[in-house]
Each structure stands twice: as C-alpha cells, then as structure tokens.
Amino acid sequence: MKRARFLIALLMLPLLAGCRPHGRETCEAPGDNPIRYELTAMDTFMTMTIYNQPGDVAQRRLRQAAELLQELEGLLSVTDEDSEIYTANHSGGAPAALSDDTRQLLEEALALCEETEGALDVTVYPLVRAWGFTTGEYRVPEEAELSALLENVGYTRVALDGNTLALPAGMELDLGAVAKGYAGDRIMDLFRSTGMLYSIVELGGNVQALGTKPDGSPWRVAVQAPEGGYAGALEIVGKAVVTSGGYQRYFAQDGQIYCHIMDPATGRPVENGLASVTIVADRGIQADALSTALFVMGRERAEAYWRAHQDFDFILLGEDGTAAVTEGLEDSFSLYGDWEDHPLEIIRK
Ligand code: ADP
Ligand code: MG
C-alpha cells in the first residue's frame, strides 16, 4: 500500500504546483523560483517546496526541515529500537524520560483523545498489530482475543508528568495518527520564523501551506477519490489539509473490507459508510488528529463534534458516492473529475 500512497502523492503534485517532479529540485512556473525537496520519512513520501527565495537560502531551509523530519522519526517510530516510543512501549511499566518534542506531541495528542471522547486513542497499537497492519500479515482476530487486547487499550491510563511518561506494562503507544501533523507544524514554524513565506509541504496525505502562492492567489489542493484519481479541489490560504481514508490501507477477507483505522470502542476496523474525512484547520496536529477521529465517529457524530467546536472545517466522502462539506468550505471546495456530478451537501451550523 506504500506504493499506492506514493502514486497518490505524485498525482497530487500537478494540482499543487503545476508540473511533475523530475528530480530532487524542480521548477514549476517561471518567475516564482520554486525549490522542491523530496524525501521519504515516517514511511511516507514527502515533498516540500519554497518559492520566491534565492536557491541557496531555500535549500538550506529545506535541508533543515528534512533533518527535523528525520529527528522526529527517530523519536517517534514504533519499530526503531532506539526511539523514545519504542523504549517506552518496552519499559515494562517503568517511567521513561521523553524529549521536549515527544512530550509536547504526546501532551497535545492526549488532549485530543480526551476531546474526541476516545475516538482518537494513541494506545491502539496492540489492535493495529493484531489485525496485521504492522507486518502486512493480515488476519481477523477472534472476539476473545480482541476483548483481551482491549484491556490494554485506553489513553486515560497514560500518565505524563512533565517529561516523564508512565505507561502501564502491556500498553503501547502509536502516534501514527498525529505525528505527521505535528511534524508539519514544526516545519511551518521553521519556515515562518526564517521568512520562507511562500511554501507548501505535502507529507503523504497531509498538506500544509504558509500564506498564499507568490502571486497572492490561494493554493489549490486536490482531494483524492476513494477509487483513485481526484474527487475535488480545495483552495486554501495558510492552512493544514489532512485526509484519513479507509482506502489508504486495508485488506479484504471473505468479501469484507478491513481498514487500518481502528474503532477503539470495539477493537475493530472502522466500518460506518465513510470513505474518507478531510479536515481543514490552522494546525496540522489538530487536522491530523481530527481526520482520524471523525473517521472513527462516523457522519452523525462528526457533525455534532463540528457544531460543538467550529474551529475547523471538513469534507466527508461517503462510500455511497455522496459528499458533504461544512459551510466554511462552501466557496473554496468543488467536486471535480469523476465526482463532478455527485451530490454535494453543505452542512450548516
Ligand atoms: P495515515 O497516517 O495512515 O495517513 P491516519 O492519520 O488516520 O492515517 O492514522 C492512521 C494510523 O493511526 C494507523 O495506521 C494506526 O497506526 C493509527 N490508528 C488507527 N486507529 C487509530 C485511532 N482510533 N486512534 C489513534 N490512532 C489510530
Ligand atoms: Mg490522522
């Protein structure tokens, strides 16, 4: 499925930037001097582009951003034995010391677990593994196995005191649903504070932009169709756009589809008629957390959550081909390509 994601990322580029990449750094439009950097980090193909800067200045910042991504990956990986998360997951209940980055990310993630009433839960790793998503050896666990695993799932039992983490023995953290959003925020902070004002990064399905394009027009971001290609186009100024979709990673068994996003309440992959949730918010971590959480919640609860908070907007694509957007996106989102004639509902306060 990594390959599929890579293709999705490549497909998105023409809309984002206007041409296909030929190497590490490529040119898209004359005059704007875009400098692009590509890398794979956190198991994800990523591109970062800075416009309107002297080449050497942009390149220095891009290299710094790439180092930051690699550093974060080194802290947060669930499989790298040297990472802080791996160490905490194998501490047998002993307190573990965290770096400031891991502490800040975990703190914000736990707050979002709370706010979404556990739809987001950073302790689902034992479930993700039991269904085979960590190795690709997919299987459908028995009910008894799931009940036993659920004993070790529950973010409320994660104790974070300053930079000290106490994780009960048997529990395991997985920050996969929020790490790329946090990383995007750190990169936006770096670019902003160093005057790289016209820039956009695409960390897999997470797009984060600063300001407008150099000519003052909004960035155009493609929203992927579940069956491939595009379903819509969205115009943004300085936002994070993050999509979680059941089609991104899944397996099929006996005619049933099982996706990589878990409902922490049941221990089973989400299955509620949603094909994808795209969140548009100021911050990447919020957009990333909510794309996963609202996908778990399903349409009705997602709408209720939005009405109660309203500091973000969303786009829902249904497995039945319907689409719905919150009213803040009414003028900036349009269905596109194969989805152009699908019904689009506006969700109002
Ligand atoms: P992706 O990062 O694959 O684009 P998400 O941001 O939705 O998509 O994160 C999904 C990942 O988060 C899964 O691969 C799994 O590791 C983890 N995860 C699955 N279900 C949940 C959940 N309910 N809460 C928190 N993390 C989850
Ligand atoms: Mg997410």
Side-chain angles (χ1 to χ4, degrees):
M1 285 297 143
K2 242 184 244 172
R3 207 174 108 78
R5 285 218 224 166
F6 180 78
L7 287 174
I8 291 162
L10 282 184
L11 282 168
M12 281 178 78
L13 286 169
L15 263 189
L16 284 176
C19 82
R20 285 174 190 281
H22 297 294
R24 257 197 157 191
E25 288 147 12
T26 50
C27 220
E28 295 111 32
D32 296 337
N33 194 28
I35 309 292
R36 174 145 63 211
Y37 195 101
E38 301 176 357
L39 77 158
T40 298
M42 302 177 172
D43 279 338
T44 305
F45 177 71
M46 304 178 169
T47 69
M48 306 184 281
T49 311
I50 291 175
Y51 292 76
N52 241 8
Q53 288 287 331
D56 57 330
V57 175
Q59 276 162 19
R60 205 175 320 129
R61 290 303 161 232
L62 290 167
R63 274 197 298 272
Q64 232 178 317
E67 279 164 24
L68 183 59
L69 285 164
Q70 271 141 8
E71 251 171 65
L72 288 172
E73 174 173 26
L75 295 174
L76 305 172
S77 165
V78 270
T79 49
D80 175 356
E81 296 186 11
D82 296 324
S83 86
E84 291 188 355
I85 293 301
Y86 186 95
T87 305
N89 286 352
H90 295 81
S91 65
L98 302 181
S99 62
D100 287 340
D101 263 317
T102 308
R103 194 248 321 133
Q104 196 184 327
L105 169 55
L106 184 57
E107 203 169 83
E108 293 189 51
L110 287 170
L112 285 153
C113 292
E114 184 77 35
E115 239 174 72
T116 60
E117 296 175 325
L120 180 78
D121 192 317
V122 290
T123 64
V124 293
Y125 196 62
L127 296 169
V128 175
R129 182 174 38 224
W131 288 86
F133 286 103
T134 52
T135 56
E137 286 163 31
Y138 300 119
R139 56 190 279 276
V140 177
E142 298 287 330
E143 200 55 56
E145 183 183 347
L146 289 178
S147 325
L149 289 172
L150 281 169
E151 300 276 309
N152 281 324
V153 173
Y155 71 92
T156 55
R157 284 186 286 142
V158 178
L160 186 62
D161 180 12
N163 284 38
T164 305
L165 166 69
L167 191 64
M171 288 187 74
E172 286 173 279
L173 292 176
D174 171 8
L175 296 173
V178 286
K180 290 194 294 271
Y182 178 80
D185 288 338
R186 293 279 272 110
I187 293 169
M188 292 293 109
D189 287 345
L190 169 69
F191 288 172
R192 194 184 293 110
S193 67
T194 52
M196 308 290 109
L197 294 184
Y198 304 104
S199 53
I200 188 160
V201 300
E202 197 195 331
L203 316 180
N206 292 31
V207 176
Q208 289 189 237
L210 270 189
T212 62
K213 293 205 286 194
D215 66 2
S217 64
W219 304 98
R220 244 166 99 77
V221 179
V223 175
Q224 158 106 49
E227 65 280 2
Y230 307 128
L234 176 68
E235 293 193 331
I236 54 157
V237 173
K239 294 273 181 190
V241 181
V242 180
T243 299
S244 284
Y247 58 84
Q248 286 168 338
R249 209 140 40 94
Y250 64 89
F251 69 98
Q253 192 171 304
D254 301 327
Q256 179 81 28
I257 303 281
Y258 300 100
C259 77
H260 72 305
I261 300 177
M262 301 288 139
D263 183 343
T266 62
R268 299 180 158 276
V270 170
E271 196 201 334
N272 57 22
L274 289 181
S276 71
V277 175
T278 300
I279 304 286
V280 183
D282 287 333
R283 302 186 60 232
I285 188 170
Q286 182 192 18
D288 206 351
L290 293 184
S291 69
T292 307
L294 270 58
F295 188 80
V296 172
M297 289 180 191
R299 164 116 191 218
E300 219 168 290
R301 277 180 70 202
E303 279 189 37
Y305 184 90
W306 173 74
R307 290 202 175 87
H309 291 79
Q310 293 188 18
D311 54 349
F312 68 98
D313 278 291
F314 66 68
I315 302 160
L316 303 181
L317 301 185
E319 282 172 348
D320 60 359
T322 57
V325 295
T326 51
E327 61 184 28
L329 302 179
E330 193 169 1
D331 298 328
S332 52
F333 177 75
S334 49
L335 290 171
Y336 181 90
D338 289 344
W339 279 61
E340 198 167 345
D341 299 323
H342 287 216
L344 176 64
E345 197 182 322
I346 310 293
I347 299 170
R348 303 200 184 275
K349 291 166 191 159

